[in-house]
Amino acid sequence: MQENLSLYHIFYTVGRTGNISQAARELYISQPAVSRAIQKLEENLDTTLFKRNSRGVTLTPDGALLYEKAQGAFSLLLEGEDSILHNRSREIPRLRLGASSTLCKYVLLSHLKSYISANPQVRITISCQSTYQTLKLLDEEKIDVGLIGRPKKLSGYHYRPLLRIRDTFAATRQYLKNQHELFPEEPLQHTATFMMLDEENITRQSVNALLKENEMELSHILEVTSMDLLIQFAQIGLGIACVIREFVQKELDEGTLVEVPMGFRFPAREIGFVCRKKEEEQPLLYQFFSSGKTNAVCEKQPASET
């Protein structure tokens, strides 16, 4: 059995990757050594574990049975390792945060600056995810606190509001001038390129709902993966970007971007920290919530739109 332990590790890696070459790279041994180990295990068990083909290997019925057992065994070993590592580090306070990359940059950074200054002993990890993915990580207890745009339904969580933001459409003056000269009689929603976040983003969903409410359909939409790209694309004159007004305040003040009136006003939305209700009174989380309101952005009333 002792000799077989290393063989089982090689077998498990080959079964997981489905490729002897890939397994050899992961195990830092040669391909012939992997093949010999599999052959030796097959001889010991008097069965065939893999079927070879041009694309790699697939498990036989006996191989699949053995792989299932090996997978369970190695999972238990990993749990044991994690438990030991956790015991070694449990005296070190740890705070696991989740937020979108946009909120990390424009909101969380300044909040963390004051918190870290007051709590240098806390080990912080950050997972950059969307609001819905952040809530899922909270449910799975993989993070302790999330920074989210408040969804319409939020039950089972403790929520602490942080600031209010407002969406807007922004573009360069030159882009708007070009559109007017090219299509003087057509409304912007029919001719301009509107740049927006993808459909899974909570900001995009709120914008879609408002457009539908005002019976407005945009003819040309360019989906972009991040707020930073939206702002940068707008600055080079690629189109009209749907952005968070507070995050482009500097550009609006400098005149590099201007707000584009669309005939309606975006309602303010709320951003805040969220945690599981059963943990809202934990000292570590209470300290984090009480570390001072971020000064990254603050709500300003936009100019009235016509």
Side-chain angles (χ1 to χ4, degrees):
M1 180 64 182
Q2 184 175 358
E3 177 190 1
N4 283 356
L5 286 177
S6 62
L7 300 182
Y8 283 130
H9 185 216
I10 295 172
F11 161 77
Y12 172 71
T13 306
V14 174
R16 178 171 53 78
T17 60
N19 188 282
I20 290 177
S21 298
Q22 179 63 32
R25 286 193 292 271
E26 289 190 15
L27 295 167
Y28 296 99
I29 59 177
S30 66
Q31 293 184 38
V34 173
S35 297
R36 286 195 298 270
I38 297 301
Q39 183 178 4
K40 177 65 175 175
L41 188 58
E42 288 178 331
E43 291 174 356
N44 291 347
L45 298 175
D46 191 25
T47 189
T48 300
L49 299 173
F50 292 103
K51 293 179 180 178
R52 281 72 171 175
N53 56 56
S54 58
R55 296 184 178 180
V57 294
T58 56
L59 291 162
T60 64
D62 282 349
L65 177 63
L66 185 62
Y67 179 80
E68 181 181 352
K69 301 300 182 182
Q71 185 178 40
F74 283 112
S75 294
L76 288 174
L77 287 173
L78 288 174
E79 287 180 15
E81 290 179 353
D82 289 343
S83 297
I84 291 173
L85 292 173
H86 176 72
N87 288 338
R88 286 180 179 176
S89 62
R90 60 186 173 184
E91 291 83 13
I92 302 175
R94 186 175 60 154
L95 185 62
R96 302 168 300 171
L97 305 175
S100 69
S101 57
T102 298
L103 294 183
C104 275
K105 175 178 178 179
Y106 292 98
V107 181
L108 184 60
L109 281 180
S110 64
H111 191 88
L112 279 177
K113 184 177 180 180
S114 59
Y115 178 77
I116 292 171
S117 177
N119 302 274
Q121 78 285 1
V122 178
R123 180 178 296 171
I124 295 174
T125 59
I126 302 174
S127 176
C128 290
Q129 305 286 347
S130 69
T131 286
Y132 296 118
Q133 290 169 325
T134 296
L135 291 174
K136 182 180 179 182
L137 291 178
L138 275 173
D139 286 337
E140 297 172 350
E141 299 190 1
K142 293 180 179 179
I143 60 173
D144 305 304
V145 179
L147 176 60
I148 65 171
R150 183 169 188 170
K152 291 182 179 180
K153 296 182 179 179
L154 190 65
S155 59
Y157 302 99
H158 170 71
Y159 177 82
R160 180 178 289 253
L162 187 62
L163 57 90
R164 294 170 71 80
I165 59 174
R166 197 181 297 273
D167 300 301
T168 190
F169 286 107
T172 62
R173 293 183 187 277
Q174 186 62 49
Y175 181 81
L176 297 177
K177 179 181 178 182
N178 292 343
Q179 289 295 303
H180 178 71
E181 291 177 351
L182 290 170
F183 310 101
E185 304 298 328
E186 293 289 328
L188 284 173
Q189 61 263 35
H190 293 166
T191 62
T193 297
F194 284 84
M195 301 178 292
M196 308 175 76
L197 294 172
D198 60 73
E199 292 278 1
E200 294 183 1
N201 189 280
I202 193 170
T203 296
R204 171 69 182 277
Q205 292 174 10
S206 66
V207 172
N208 283 351
L210 190 61
L211 290 172
K212 183 176 180 180
E213 179 182 330
N214 286 271
E215 299 181 348
M216 182 176 292
E217 185 174 347
L218 306 179
S219 300
H220 309 288
I221 294 178
L222 172 63
E223 289 194 345
V224 180
T225 57
S226 74
M227 183 66 61
D228 279 347
L229 283 176
L230 283 175
I231 296 171
Q232 290 168 9
F233 285 165
Q235 288 176 316
I236 66 171
L238 187 60
I240 299 173
C242 184
V243 295
I244 294 174
R245 191 181 194 277
E246 289 72 15
F247 298 168
V248 294
Q249 189 62 56
K250 179 175 178 289
E251 290 79 3
L252 293 175
D253 290 342
E254 293 174 348
T256 55
L257 291 177
V258 296
E259 291 188 84
V260 180
M262 297 296 292
F264 57 83
R265 184 181 182 186
F266 284 100
R269 295 189 291 117
E270 195 171 74
I271 289 174
F273 289 115
V274 63
C275 69
R276 292 175 290 273
K277 273 194 173 180
K278 61 182 180 180
E279 298 176 357
E280 61 186 279
E281 299 299 330
Q282 285 191 10
L284 194 64
L285 300 190
Y286 181 81
Q287 290 174 8
F288 180 75
F289 289 144
S290 305
S291 61
K293 185 173 181 179
T294 179
N295 58 6
V297 294
C298 60
E299 183 187 10
K300 294 183 179 181
Q301 295 298 328
S304 60
E305 298 179 0
T306 57

